[in-house]
């Protein structure tokens, strides 16, 4: 029997599951349906996609065929850099919703803080939420200076900041900053693209609980109140990724994993941001 997946209370009063299915590079209706069905069987109700993934339509087909009512699911998508640059935020969302076959998104994120664009994009997201097209709004890949600029210009705090986070890049200062201000942190690439699956330290900790190194890494995030969206298309790995709610790491184990930080970035920065000041 699948363990119940807890949820985070967001600063806008909505709830977001602590674990979901990432679908980056998942392609085709069959692969998407297989992945979603495995995740749903494991208790998952959150699906994370983006316009740039070019699979929102596949997500929409899988959701329509899965047998779970739309209102019981939590669907996240994101506005891409190109739409930010031309100011077509509402149009981008409308196209995403059409592909998803949904009247609304549960969470809409600014995918990257495009220099000179993201403050205006944020203002438009606020209006889209007011119009009921999205339930919650947030950001992705934002660091402290980006968040501070949003506060100064709009006074509206993002519900979520989705960032790369895992034992090899623990993002401690940014996580603390967000959580102290009521911003939920959600970790993408929480498996570091498999980079820590063979680490002896995590394997040893996992052996105490009958868990893998990957499950220990995910649990380490969950115990920091950081939500996770691991990506896989393999049903057995998907089920394993959600089997992390029946054990608890000790404080000593948590601190031991903290020491693994190498500031290792496993996900790439988009080509159109290279050479810009997006990190400032």
């Amino acid at each position: 029997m699948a363990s119940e997946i807890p949820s985070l209370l967001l600063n806008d009063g909505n709830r977001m599951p602590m674990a979901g299915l990432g679908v980056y590079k998942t392609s085709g209706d069959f692969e998407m349906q297989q992945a979603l069905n495995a995740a749903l069987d494991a208790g998952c109700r959150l699906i994370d996609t983006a316009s740039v993934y070019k699979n929102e339509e596949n997500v929409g087909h899988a959701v329509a065929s899965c047998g779970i009512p739309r209102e019981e699911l939590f669907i996240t998508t994101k506005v891409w850099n190109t739409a930010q640059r031309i100011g077509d935020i509402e149009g981008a969302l409308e196209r995403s919703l059409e592909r998803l076959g949904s009247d609304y998104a549960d969470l809409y994120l600014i995918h990257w803080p495009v220099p000179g664009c993201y403050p205006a994009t944020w203002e438009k997201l606020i209006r889209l939420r007011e119009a009921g097209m999205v339930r919650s709004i947030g950001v992705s890949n934002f660091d402290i200076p980006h968040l501070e600029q949003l506060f100064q210009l709009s006074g509206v705090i993002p519900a979520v900041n989705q960032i790369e986070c895992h034992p090899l890049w623990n993002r401690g200062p940014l996580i603390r900053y967000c959580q102290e201000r009521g911003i939920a942190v959600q970790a993408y690439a929480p498996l570091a693209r498999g980079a820590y699956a063979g680490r002896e330290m995590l394997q040893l900790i996992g052996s105490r609980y009958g868990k893998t190194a990957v499950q220990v890494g995910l649990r380490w995030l969950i115990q920091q109140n950081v939500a996770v969206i691991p990506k896989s298309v393999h049903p057995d790995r998907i089920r394993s990724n959600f089997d992390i709610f029946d054990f608890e790491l000790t404080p000593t184990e948590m601190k031991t994993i903290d020491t693994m930080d190498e500031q290792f970035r496993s996900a790439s920065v988009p080509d159109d941001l290279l050479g810009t000041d997006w990190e400032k």
Side-chain angles (χ1 to χ4, degrees):
M1 179 181 296
S3 300
E4 183 177 354
I5 296 176
S7 63
L8 280 173
L9 178 63
L10 303 180
N11 60 29
D12 57 13
N14 295 320
R15 285 193 168 274
M16 180 181 75
M18 285 287 293
L21 177 68
V23 298
Y24 174 64
K25 288 191 175 180
T26 304
S27 61
D29 281 347
F30 176 79
E31 188 172 71
M32 186 68 72
Q33 191 74 64
Q34 179 177 254
L36 181 58
N37 287 346
L40 294 173
D41 288 345
C44 169
R45 294 296 182 268
L46 187 155
I47 307 104
D48 179 274
T49 185
S51 61
V52 76
Y53 298 170
K54 306 299 183 185
N55 60 16
E56 290 172 314
E57 191 169 8
N58 302 128
V59 170
H61 293 164
V63 166
S65 303
C66 74
I68 303 294
R70 170 67 182 90
E71 61 270 17
E72 294 182 18
L73 299 174
F74 190 105
I75 299 177
T76 300
T77 192
K78 312 174 190 78
V79 60
W80 185 241
N81 303 349
T82 307
Q84 289 195 66
R85 289 193 173 96
I86 64 176
D88 187 27
I89 311 306
E90 183 172 353
L93 176 59
E94 288 174 343
R95 292 188 291 275
S96 286
L97 295 179
E98 182 178 1
R99 290 189 289 264
L100 290 165
S102 180
D103 295 331
Y104 66 95
D106 294 277
L107 177 62
Y108 198 44
L109 304 178
I110 301 177
H111 207 149
W112 287 86
V114 177
C117 297
Y118 67 85
T121 301
W122 183 243
E123 294 285 356
K124 292 179 181 178
L125 259 62
I126 294 170
R127 292 198 290 272
L128 292 172
R129 183 182 62 180
E130 292 170 348
M133 297 176 69
V134 297
R135 300 284 174 84
S136 297
I137 54 175
V139 296
S140 181
N141 298 296
F142 274 49
D143 215 327
I144 292 173
H146 308 125
L147 295 168
E148 290 184 335
Q149 187 169 6
L150 293 189
F151 301 155
Q152 293 167 4
L153 294 177
S154 73
V156 177
I157 300 173
V160 176
N161 187 14
Q162 187 184 105
I163 58 173
E164 179 174 352
C165 186
H166 44 71
L168 304 184
W169 195 19
N170 66 37
R171 314 301 296 273
L174 179 55
I175 290 173
R176 286 191 293 274
Y177 178 91
C178 289
Q179 292 181 341
E180 287 171 359
R181 288 157 180 80
I183 303 170
V185 178
Q186 186 180 57
Y188 75 81
L191 312 183
R193 307 289 196 261
Y196 64 80
R199 294 295 180 100
E200 184 177 0
M201 180 187 299
L202 294 176
Q203 291 175 334
L204 177 60
I205 293 173
S207 69
R208 300 168 188 163
Y209 303 99
K211 299 294 181 180
T212 66
V214 164
Q215 289 171 317
V216 170
L218 291 172
R219 182 68 201 181
W220 171 80
L221 287 165
I222 292 294
Q223 284 185 214
Q224 296 177 72
N225 220 29
V226 173
V228 297
I229 45 171
K231 181 264 176 180
S232 179
V233 297
H234 303 286
D236 56 338
R237 293 180 190 172
I238 291 171
R239 287 188 286 269
S240 177
N241 289 341
F242 291 105
D243 187 21
I244 55 174
F245 296 99
D246 59 352
F247 75 108
E248 185 171 342
L249 300 171
T250 67
T252 298
E253 290 167 340
M254 292 289 291
K255 291 178 182 177
T256 298
I257 297 170
D258 288 345
T259 67
M260 296 179 63
D261 184 35
E262 302 171 1
Q263 298 188 22
F264 169 72
R265 183 192 295 275
S266 68
S268 60
V269 177
D271 291 342
D272 67 333
L273 289 184
L274 296 177
T276 72
D277 62 349
W278 74 269
E279 290 186 299
K280 295 181 181 179

